[in-house]
Amino acid sequence: MRIILLGPPGVGKGTQASRLASHHGVVRLGTGDMLRTAVAGGSPFELEVKSYMDSGGLVPDTIIIGIMRDRLAWPDAKDGYILDGFPRTVNQAIALDRFLSEHQQKIDYAFNLAVDEEILIDRISGRRSCPSCHRVYHITYDPPKQTGMCDCRTPLMQRKDDSLGVVRQRLQVYQREAEPLVQFYKQQGILMDINAGGAIDEVTEKLKLS
Ligand code: ADP
Ligand code: AMP
């Protein structure tokens, strides 16, 4: 099973990607997490990539396409994956298509998750992430067993790019890139619109049934 999750920041892609990955027995490939791990050092290249992320912009296509071509070729992705956060531009989608045809693969579904903007802001402002296992919580809707602490015993963090100013920039970037990307997958006949406004379990059920 190969699934792409599209949708704005905070809509629940990472949360649902983890659940769908377990359900289908495939890997979740989240480009945000991959990039945050990749820029943990302080080399000039890492600092450059980090500056795009911290300001709410997209990392240049050439960089992320190179990273993903490499990652998609790992043995654990041979039989399927849930893509969370990639592709984010039509150029990335074209590069993904090229990879797929080179490897005789195809995407089964591109789920386009949507909710109103005030819900996105509410979800993002309560988001807490584990820097170690990458699990994501919400202080109200999906809290950890112990406040401020991941269930894996690592202190939780609030992402720097989840501050309101940066979130507004990320939403603008999303609005600019989203429509052509949605059209791209609509034309391929694999796009499914999903109302992601319900509780986490409800959205998971919709995605499993689709
Ligand atoms: P994305 O990967 O799209 O940026 P996340 O999966 O990180 O979004 O979810 C953003 C925040 O919203 C997290 O704190 C998560 O726990 C919470 N969340 C995700 N889905 C729902 C939902 N259906 N209802 C309430 N909160 C949710
Ligand atoms: P996310 O964790 O998906 O919210 O991504 C966090 C940040 O990583 C984004 O705001 C971008 O700066 C960067 N990023 C993640 N995925 C991509 C991508 N496919 N293309 C470009 N930048 C990306």
Side-chain angles (χ1 to χ4, degrees):
M1 180 64 76
R2 294 184 188 84
I3 292 175
I4 295 173
L5 294 183
L6 302 173
V11 76
K13 299 181 298 297
T15 304
Q16 298 300 336
S18 300
R19 289 163 165 241
L20 284 182
S22 309
H23 177 69
H24 293 294
V26 295
V27 283
R28 166 193 166 227
L29 302 179
T31 42
D33 282 342
M34 286 162 62
L35 287 167
R36 279 184 286 278
T37 303
V39 302
S43 73
F45 175 74
E46 288 167 318
L47 291 177
E48 186 196 333
V49 172
K50 200 167 176 302
S51 72
Y52 293 111
M53 298 171 73
D54 287 348
S55 63
L58 290 182
V59 172
D61 282 340
T62 45
I63 295 177
I64 191 72
I65 288 169
I67 292 174
M68 282 307 278
R69 279 191 67 88
D70 184 46
R71 183 63 185 87
L72 289 166
W74 287 22
D76 67 351
K78 194 168 68 66
D79 296 325
Y81 38 76
I82 312 292
L83 295 184
D84 152 24
F86 182 91
R88 258 178 160 97
T89 65
V90 170
N91 272 341
Q92 294 178 19
I94 291 169
L96 174 61
D97 266 7
R98 196 170 306 132
F99 179 94
L100 292 166
S101 61
E102 285 166 14
H103 292 79
Q104 291 84 45
Q105 296 178 358
K106 70 175 189 54
I107 298 294
D108 296 284
Y109 299 103
F111 291 124
N112 184 29
L113 276 56
V115 293
D116 290 343
E117 192 165 310
E118 63 267 30
I119 298 182
L120 292 177
I121 304 284
D122 183 40
R123 289 185 182 176
I124 289 177
S125 52
R127 170 158 59 190
R128 299 292 181 273
S129 314
C130 176
S132 172
C133 73
H134 299 298
R135 183 159 167 201
V136 169
Y137 297 87
H138 190 281
I139 52 173
T140 309
Y141 308 122
D142 188 17
K145 291 193 180 92
Q146 188 187 335
T147 306
M149 190 67 84
C150 181
D151 295 352
C152 82
R153 309 299 307 153
T154 307
L156 292 172
M157 288 176 47
Q158 189 162 15
R159 277 169 50 179
K160 201 171 165 190
D161 63 346
D162 276 353
S163 64
L164 201 56
V166 181
V167 167
R168 297 237 176 262
Q169 171 63 18
R170 288 163 62 203
L171 288 173
Q172 265 182 26
V173 168
Y174 171 77
Q175 271 144 20
R176 192 180 66 219
E177 303 290 347
E179 194 46 36
L181 201 52
V182 165
Q183 288 308 325
F184 185 91
Y185 288 113
K186 207 173 251 177
Q187 275 166 16
Q188 295 196 357
I190 55 170
L191 188 91
M192 292 197 68
D193 286 311
I194 302 285
N195 176 350
I200 294 176
D201 286 345
E202 287 172 38
V203 180
T204 306
E205 285 313 305
K206 280 187 202 171
L207 293 170
K208 280 187 193 169
L209 291 175
S210 297

